[in-house]
Amino acid sequence: TVSVLYWLIGSVWGIAPSAMASLPRVTSPALRAAILDAALPPGHHQRVRELGIAAEEAEVVDPVPSRPLVSVARVPFQCTATCANSHGSVHGGNVAWLIDTITSMHLAALLGTRRHVSINLNVTYVRPLPVGVRGVVESRVVKVGRTVAFLEADVLVGSSSSPSTMAVCATAQHGKMLLEAPAKTGKSSKL
């Protein structure tokens, strides 16, 4: 149903398949560089450390042929105790921040210098995410149009290296508005 919704919204917003075909292929080094971008505010890097995002292990994988996606990335993490709620699991706000960060950096690796802002982040919490347990965020760029991009993500935990056998802790749909490329005059972009 989510795919049908994305198709319907993409049709209304004028996202043509040809626009997606012209996108560059994301590489693992580009994804790692986007996560570790020195131009991002210091608070970003502190949160990356607290959430235990292992940027150096981030990888871009080939999408499953049966589901046409623009790009799929997997980024390992291991949240520290500073992310815990009163029940000893990772606070839901930190899970949402983890998803927002990984999907946004995945899109940044795809778009290069073009800026983007969130217009929607819908997170469904399936089970508690334990503090200190190593997991993976699987980020999927579903569609990219002229003004809007649609992404999905799963937060997975388990001892397996195969996401298909790992337990799902949260799933998300993330909508991003794509801003105009910055003008050479230094003026800010229009929304």
Side-chain angles (χ1 to χ4, degrees):
T1 60
V2 172
S3 297
V4 172
L5 177 64
Y6 283 156
W7 174 85
L8 178 63
I9 292 171
S11 299
V12 171
W13 283 62
I15 300 173
S18 60
M20 292 189 301
S22 65
L23 292 169
R25 181 165 159 63
V26 177
T27 63
S28 294
L31 176 62
R32 293 177 194 129
I35 295 169
L36 298 173
D37 187 351
L40 294 169
H44 166 82
H45 297 291
Q46 177 183 345
R47 294 297 294 154
V48 165
R49 284 189 300 277
E50 289 173 356
L51 292 169
I53 296 173
E56 64 282 353
E57 296 177 42
E59 65 177 343
V60 175
V61 296
D62 290 328
V64 179
S66 63
R67 183 156 186 231
L69 298 170
V70 176
S71 179
V72 178
R74 294 191 185 116
V75 181
F77 70 93
Q78 186 170 357
C79 295
T80 64
T82 60
C83 300
N85 60 21
S86 60
H87 303 290
S89 58
V90 177
H91 188 279
N94 288 316
V95 174
W97 194 92
L98 177 68
I99 292 167
D100 182 32
T101 298
I102 299 303
T103 55
S104 295
M105 297 302 105
H106 187 188
L107 187 61
L110 183 70
L111 298 178
T113 59
R114 188 163 182 196
R115 296 179 11 208
H116 44 87
V117 295
S118 296
I119 54 175
N120 179 44
L121 179 61
N122 179 23
V123 180
T124 302
Y125 301 95
V126 179
R127 67 175 42 90
L129 176 59
V131 171
V133 173
R134 189 164 166 87
V136 172
V137 173
E138 183 174 272
S139 171
R140 296 176 297 279
V141 179
V142 178
K143 281 193 175 194
V144 178
R146 287 175 292 135
T147 58
V148 175
F150 298 98
L151 301 97
E152 298 174 343
D154 292 324
V155 178
L156 309 163
V157 294
S159 58
S160 173
S161 60
S162 171
S164 63
T165 60
M166 297 175 83
V168 176
C169 291
T171 63
Q173 294 79 39
H174 194 181
K176 302 285 281 187
M177 177 180 282
L178 308 179
L179 305 176
E180 295 177 20
K184 294 184 180 188
T185 61
K187 294 181 181 178
S188 63
S189 300
K190 296 178 189 175
L191 286 178

